[in-house]
Amino acid sequence: MSTSTGSLTSWIADQGNVINNIAASLVPVEKLVTGFAYLMGLTFFFKAIYTLKTYGESRSSMMSSGGSGGSGMKEPVIYLMVGAMFVYFPSGLALLLNTTFGSSNILQYAPINSGNSTMTTLFGSGSSMGASIALIIQVIGVIAFVRGWVLIARSASQGQQPGGAGKGMVHVFGGILAMNIVLT
């Protein structure tokens, strides 16, 4: 039994090096996604202003104001909301984390000690693999969070398939859960 535990430990150590290297390379990716979200927020602001401009021009050129014929104010308002979420990304994320979990800070990884030797080897106090796995899941959560808001913004435009807002909300909530994987 100890031979299999020894080989399992060496296998986990080898895989742990790979996971630690992946986690170390994902820290700049997380900053890149956050910066890209900021730029998308500015783009969404410009799109919202342009949509408001075209909406105002079409309303002023109509002879009767009986029907608006389109999504009306829904599209620019949603683009403004999503743009604000991306421009104020850290504040917006803290707000959503505080609403969901009651705390806006993402806790550090806390090692576990259990009766299961495999779980203790993977996530115990002597292993740095658990922290790396938590970081990988958190980066995936940031990407899902940003993708969810983009889906919500695109659902406001005409010609999009129905259900985009629902998919976006699932991505946003799943991203929040993944970013706060330690409390989840």
Side-chain angles (χ1 to χ4, degrees):
M1 191 70 162
S2 65
T3 307
S4 66
T5 305
S7 64
L8 177 66
T9 305
S10 66
W11 182 81
I12 289 175
D14 292 340
Q15 301 306 317
N17 290 334
V18 172
I19 290 176
N20 288 338
N21 290 337
I22 290 171
S25 66
L26 284 180
V27 173
V29 170
E30 184 176 9
K31 292 180 182 181
L32 179 72
V33 169
T34 304
F36 186 65
Y38 182 78
L39 291 175
M40 281 193 316
L42 292 175
T43 306
F44 285 163
F45 274 141
F46 290 131
K47 168 110 172 127
I49 291 169
Y50 178 74
T51 306
L52 282 171
K53 177 186 166 282
T54 57
Y55 180 72
E57 288 174 352
S58 70
R59 292 289 289 177
S60 66
S61 68
M62 288 194 320
M63 295 302 284
S64 67
S65 61
S68 64
S71 64
M73 295 296 292
K74 174 183 156 188
E75 183 177 5
V77 167
I78 289 180
Y79 273 107
L80 280 173
M81 180 186 71
V82 173
M85 185 67 193
F86 282 160
V87 168
Y88 296 105
F89 189 74
S91 305
L93 177 62
L95 177 75
L96 286 174
L97 285 174
N98 201 9
T99 302
T100 307
F101 293 103
S103 173
S104 63
N105 60 353
I106 299 173
L107 298 176
Q108 293 292 331
Y109 172 74
I112 62 165
N113 292 316
S114 69
N116 187 344
S117 63
T118 305
M119 292 298 286
T120 303
T121 305
L122 283 174
F123 301 108
S125 58
S127 172
S128 65
M129 197 165 151
S132 298
I133 291 173
L135 180 66
I136 291 169
I137 293 172
Q138 286 172 343
V139 169
I140 292 169
V142 169
I143 293 169
F145 185 79
V146 170
R147 182 174 179 348
W149 283 110
V150 169
L151 285 173
I152 290 170
R154 287 183 56 203
S155 71
S157 299
Q158 289 202 347
Q160 296 295 323
Q161 292 181 348
K167 289 177 190 175
M169 291 304 293
V170 168
H171 273 82
V172 167
F173 190 69
I176 290 172
L177 292 176
M179 283 187 285
N180 207 359
I181 191 66
V182 176
L183 275 180
T184 301

